[in-house]
Amino acid sequence: MAINNVSTAIFIFSVLFFNRTNKISFNVTLLFPIVLFIWMASSYFWSIDKAATIPAIYKEIFLLLIPAAFLIMRPFNKNQVYKLIKYYSYAMVFYAGFFLLRAWIRYMISGDQRAFFYHGEYDNDFGLVPKLLNAIHVSVYMAVAFFYFLNQEIKKKFDIICAAILFGFIFLLSSKNIIIVFVFLIGLHFFYFSKSSSKMRLRNLSILTLILVAVFSFSKIKNRFLVEFQSNTNTSVSHSVYNEADEGVNYVSIYEAWNNETFSQGDYFPGTAFRVYQFRMFLEIFSEEPLFWKGLGLNASQPKLIEKEKKYELYPGYGLFNFHNQYVQNFAELGFIGFLVLITILATNIKNAFKRKDFIHISFAILIISLFLTESFLWRQRGVLFFAFFYCLFNTKVNPQLEK
């Protein structure tokens, strides 16, 4: 977080220094994140938990600073944009290599295969990446980089190797939602954006299918999907299906998450069931509190979720999780107005992506829309910084005279 803050400060000061004679450009697209931040900051005045709202405002300030910087600076031309994405993509390959090496060393020491998959816990860092980084978030960072290499018309051997590393790393991270969207986007590229012949596209798709079959043969990845399927069709899952669990743990199904009047401290919510439960809690809070237009206040929903945890007798700690859905999070804390601004941002982003027929931009837009269904991504410092920068980079109007 400190590195992010320092880097952003250097970026802002460099923009101010090198563009001090420039006139501020008018770009409505870049104003939307600023409007969202202003609404977030304004929510302090009606927040039900002002102590939680104040630090959250500081965390969300990237939605103000980064678009403002892009409004001040001279726009990048198309080549410069792709050069920045190239540097970013190679950096992600470096990080993927680092964590794979870390996993291999840890496996050689402990013999624990979990070192190669997903993330661990805050108090037990057994996964591929630390829990604080979040495997789902890292999957998105890596996917954007992968699509840079996939989108290259002429692929060098080194670029193919980089793409292969990122491809494998994304599957090892085992984020179900991102893997599904990731595979969809690869298919979209092969059928609609690839300039290769139909024969080549069919060959590439066949190779991809074989790779996917091989990848899903890994028990750890297969179990990540299987536990969701099983828990959605049965009242519980046996220990043999999801062997990381402790004996005696009951896996809550989607039906139970939506309908149970009470739970026990031995209940465990798989990802989908947990998000269904959180949406149910949102609807209950919505019916109890006058939050339609303005919401509860930025980052102020936690006390209500803790109340629900106690009401439904959940294991202590479930109430400390946010809604894990950016759309619900915005509506609950910023009301319909905050939700509408978010939808406007996403709609504008994907509209511009398809208008410019930029596959990397399209990939970013679709990944973010899907990610917001399962994560409150903008409520994390890294998430809001990542989104704000790429949103501005892709949506800044390019000077036609600098296009070449």
Side-chain angles (χ1 to χ4, degrees), residues 1-263:
M1 294 184 184
I3 292 174
N4 282 343
N5 290 334
V6 171
S7 300
T8 303
I10 294 172
F11 170 64
I12 298 296
F13 284 121
S14 67
V15 167
L16 294 174
F17 179 79
F18 290 108
N19 297 272
R20 56 189 181 276
T21 60
N22 281 1
K23 293 182 179 180
I24 296 178
S25 60
F26 183 77
N27 186 343
V28 175
T29 303
L30 299 188
L31 293 179
F32 293 139
I34 296 175
V35 171
L36 181 58
F37 173 77
I38 293 173
W39 187 249
M40 288 174 169
S42 300
S43 72
Y44 168 81
F45 296 104
W46 60 81
S47 173
I48 65 170
D49 189 354
K50 289 182 169 56
T53 297
I54 292 175
I57 292 173
Y58 293 127
K59 182 172 59 182
E60 302 295 338
I61 201 168
F62 295 112
L63 291 172
L64 169 66
L65 296 179
I66 294 177
F70 273 84
L71 289 170
I72 293 171
M73 64 195 294
R74 289 185 295 274
F76 294 118
N77 62 40
K78 192 172 183 179
N79 289 336
Q80 289 172 327
V81 169
Y82 274 87
K83 187 175 290 186
L84 287 169
I85 297 172
K86 179 180 75 172
Y87 294 153
Y88 167 82
S89 300
Y90 282 124
M92 291 301 105
V93 173
F94 170 80
Y95 281 116
F98 169 81
F99 282 112
L100 288 171
L101 177 62
R102 173 182 182 262
W104 176 256
I105 294 173
R106 288 153 68 93
Y107 172 71
M108 294 299 292
I109 294 172
S110 67
D112 190 344
Q113 295 180 0
R114 294 181 299 173
F116 290 103
F117 301 95
Y118 203 53
H119 58 231
E121 301 297 335
Y122 290 116
D123 58 349
N124 186 7
D125 181 18
F126 57 77
L128 181 58
V129 297
K131 178 68 176 287
L132 187 61
L133 284 182
N134 192 310
I136 301 171
H137 295 189
V138 176
S139 296
V140 175
Y141 308 152
M142 297 295 168
V144 172
F146 171 84
F147 288 118
Y148 163 77
F149 293 112
L150 183 67
N151 198 51
Q152 296 294 331
E153 291 183 24
I154 301 175
K155 297 178 177 63
K156 301 176 183 178
K157 287 185 179 179
F158 185 68
D159 290 341
I160 295 173
I161 293 172
C162 290
I165 291 172
L166 293 173
F167 182 90
F169 193 74
I170 289 167
F171 275 88
L172 291 176
L173 287 168
S174 311
S175 169
K176 302 177 290 295
N177 176 31
I178 300 303
I179 287 176
I180 292 170
V181 177
F182 179 65
V183 172
F184 166 77
L185 287 170
I186 292 176
L188 182 67
H189 179 271
F190 281 150
F191 283 107
Y192 294 102
F193 289 89
S194 176
K195 295 184 179 180
S196 59
S197 64
S198 299
K199 185 177 180 180
M200 288 287 289
R201 287 199 294 267
L202 183 60
R203 186 205 67 174
N204 292 339
L205 194 60
S206 299
I207 293 173
L208 173 64
T209 302
L210 291 174
I211 293 174
L212 291 177
V213 171
V215 166
F216 280 104
S217 67
F218 283 102
S219 61
K220 298 290 183 182
I221 298 174
K222 181 172 64 177
N223 282 349
R224 286 278 301 158
F225 283 83
L226 185 59
V227 70
E228 293 292 343
F229 175 75
Q230 294 281 358
S231 64
N232 296 341
T233 55
N234 302 292
T235 57
S236 64
V237 176
S238 68
H239 180 69
S240 61
V241 172
Y242 195 61
N243 54 27
E244 286 94 345
D246 295 327
E247 294 286 356
V249 172
N250 174 59
Y251 286 80
V252 178
S253 69
I254 284 181
Y255 178 85
E256 292 171 328
W258 186 255
N259 292 284
N260 279 13
E261 291 301 322
T262 185
F263 298 93

Side-chain angles (χ1 to χ4, degrees), residues 43 47 49 52-53 55-56 59 297-303 329 333 379:
S43 72
S47 173
D49 189 354
T53 297
K59 182 172 59 182
L298 181 64
N299 209 36
S301 60
Q302 225 62 57
Q329 197 83 40
E333 298 184 355
W379 264 233

